[in-house]
Amino acid sequence: MKTLVLDAFSGISGDMFLGALFDLGLSRSALEKELAKLNVGGYQLQIKRTSHSSIYGTDFDVILADQQVKDNGITEHGHHHGRSFATIKQLIERSNLNDSVKQRTLKLFQEIALSEAHVHQKEISEIHFHEVGAIDSIVDLAGAAIALDLMKIDQVIVNNLADGTGTIKIAHGIVPVPVPAVMQLRVGTKISVHLRPEVKTELITPTGMALVKCFATGFDTNPDGILEKTGYGFGKREIGSLNALRASIYNSLLSNQAVEQKQDQVMLIETNLDDITGEQLADAVAGLLERGAKDAWSEPIVMKKGRPAYKLCLLVEPRQQQILIKYLFAKTPAIGVRQKLLQREIMQRKIKLIATSYGELHIKELTYADISKITFEHQELVRLATLNHCSLTELKTKILAEIRQNPQMKGI
């Protein structure tokens, strides 16, 4: 499972989001090919690798045919002329984009239109995206949905979401920061925003907040998997510090790479903890897995004097022993650990991405002597079951049947 983590310490906008994804390796040609399915012209993508505060990242822009530079949507919110939400909805529905991208793009536009309608006390049918900004919005929002699909992102986590303070001038006059549309987008959610008093301007645009509201599956949390790559998408304002959105991809499959050997050695490390909360214990297990533990778990125990406690256990490669023990001492109440070197018998493992009639997913091919079996990544099954409107059991049975009918099913 691939998780996109957005570290939004200086806010988020559509430009910053796509810039960060390009910095992570999003293909320009692939994105342009998909955007062409919308049949919207009059623009070019400008993607420039550059540095801010001695940190390299990507600056993304949409250059319109009749403009040298575009209006980035930073100060122009809620214009009354241009393409209506209904017109844009029809444009998206009639496009040749795949259904999941259409649904995501429509959801983004709908959330922005609803927020603007509430703020200005209008019907959603009266909301228009400014004629210049409409093309920007289409590219930014459809592009964001397309990008997640192209990069096969399974979930998005947003950490450290921040906005500025003070006031800002928009088309309707001077308004407070966060701007009204951004505040309205937060209504009914648990999205938390940290305000930076030293920044006297907006950091979160309505487009950026819509991306957070529609895409984020978690906030201020540690992702599963191994960090694969990190990139930066730059904002356009000078705020006196680094104005960038940091994006990172974590891949849970990387922690389950192909295994050729049938035996290996691991170190079992254990410690008893009688003064730790359930939340702290869960964080410790997650932290150990992030730092390379092969497995980590807790067991309820009863210590001397009848005191309830937990035994925290982890399996590690011997070379990682000292790193993880140091982490235990630093992040938990542990004052000592027990260690034991173990010999394991393990199944050989290969991971392959296959194309089924229900969508793409990874399978693990496991073998040991004359025994063989196949397992799936659970979150991928959940995603495909949702897309295909069936139960996990039903989907798994159907996919296994396809594999049996075509044992040499080609990996992608």
Side-chain angles (χ1 to χ4, degrees), residues 163-166 175-183 186 193 195 202 204:
D163 205 347
T165 57
V175 298
V177 176
V179 297
V182 167
M183 290 298 291
R186 290 174 58 193
V193 176
L195 298 183
E202 68 170 345
I204 303 174

Side-chain angles (χ1 to χ4, degrees), residues 127-142:
I127 297 300
H128 286 67
F129 291 81
H130 187 255
E131 190 58 39
V132 172
I135 296 178
D136 291 349
S137 298
I138 291 169
V139 174
D140 284 348
L141 298 177

Side-chain angles (χ1 to χ4, degrees), residues 193-206:
V193 176
H194 165 67
L195 298 183
R196 294 177 55 180
E198 78 280 8
V199 179
K200 301 301 182 181
T201 188
E202 68 170 345
L203 296 178
I204 303 174
T205 67

Side-chain angles (χ1 to χ4, degrees), residues 91-336:
L91 177 75
I92 295 166
E93 289 175 337
R94 290 181 176 179
S95 74
N96 292 321
L97 293 169
N98 71 50
D99 289 342
S100 64
V101 170
K102 284 183 183 180
Q103 291 170 10
R104 279 179 162 176
T105 305
L106 287 170
K107 179 64 173 174
L108 289 166
F109 271 106
Q110 180 176 312
E111 288 293 344
I112 294 175
L114 286 171
S115 68
E116 296 283 3
H118 183 89
V119 167
H120 304 297
Q121 290 296 287
K122 294 180 177 294
E123 296 295 327
I124 191 171
S125 59
E126 298 178 81
I127 297 300
H128 286 67
F129 291 81
H130 187 255
E131 190 58 39
V132 172
I135 296 178
D136 291 349
S137 298
I138 291 169
V139 174
D140 284 348
L141 298 177
I146 291 167
L148 292 186
D149 187 65
L150 289 173
M151 299 180 75
K152 303 186 186 305
I153 300 298
D154 297 298
Q155 64 176 5
V156 178
I157 293 173
V158 178
N159 293 336
N160 306 312
L161 183 60
D163 205 347
T165 57
T167 60
I168 190 169
K169 184 178 181 181
I170 66 171
H172 302 282
I174 296 176
V175 298
V177 176
V179 297
V182 167
M183 290 298 291
Q184 185 59 36
L185 281 162
R186 290 174 58 193
V187 171
T189 76
K190 294 184 178 180
I191 299 173
S192 176
V193 176
H194 165 67
L195 298 183
R196 294 177 55 180
E198 78 280 8
V199 179
K200 301 301 182 181
T201 188
E202 68 170 345
L203 296 178
I204 303 174
T205 67
T207 295
M209 182 55 74
L211 293 173
V212 171
K213 184 173 183 178
C214 295
F215 290 166
T217 54
F219 296 91
D220 297 315
T221 186
N222 293 319
D224 292 328
I226 292 175
L227 178 60
E228 188 175 335
K229 58 181 73 171
T230 295
Y232 294 83
F234 293 126
K236 303 297 185 292
R237 291 187 177 278
E238 292 295 332
I239 62 173
S241 59
L242 179 64
N243 186 9
L245 175 68
R246 180 165 60 197
S248 305
I249 290 180
Y250 288 78
N251 196 331
S252 64
L253 293 174
L254 290 181
S255 61
N256 292 303
Q257 296 284 5
V259 176
E260 299 295 336
Q261 71 268 32
K262 296 181 180 179
Q263 295 180 336
D264 73 352
Q265 286 187 328
V266 292
M267 187 72 69
L268 172 63
I269 300 175
E270 300 176 343
T271 185
N272 294 350
L273 303 170
D274 63 357
D275 52 354
I276 189 170
T277 67
E279 291 88 352
Q280 292 170 331
L281 189 62
D283 289 343
V285 169
L288 291 164
L289 292 171
E290 285 176 19
R291 286 157 181 78
K294 288 182 174 293
D295 201 358
W297 68 96
S298 61
E299 301 172 1
I301 58 174
V302 177
M303 295 179 62
K304 58 187 177 183
K305 300 181 181 179
R307 182 181 297 168
Y310 296 98
K311 179 167 69 173
L312 180 57
C313 312
L314 56 151
L315 294 178
V316 307
E317 294 182 10
R319 61 184 176 85
Q320 293 181 300
Q321 174 185 358
Q322 291 305 315
I323 294 174
L324 293 174
I325 289 177
K326 185 176 179 181
Y327 178 83
L328 276 174
F329 286 154
K331 301 297 183 180
T332 76
I335 58 174

Side-chain angles (χ1 to χ4, degrees), residues 346-363:
I346 54 178
M347 299 191 78
Q348 293 177 299
R349 178 172 61 225
K350 292 181 181 178
I351 298 173
K352 185 166 67 174
L353 179 64
I354 63 171
T356 75
S357 58
Y358 306 96
E360 297 176 2
L361 81 163
H362 293 85
I363 61 170

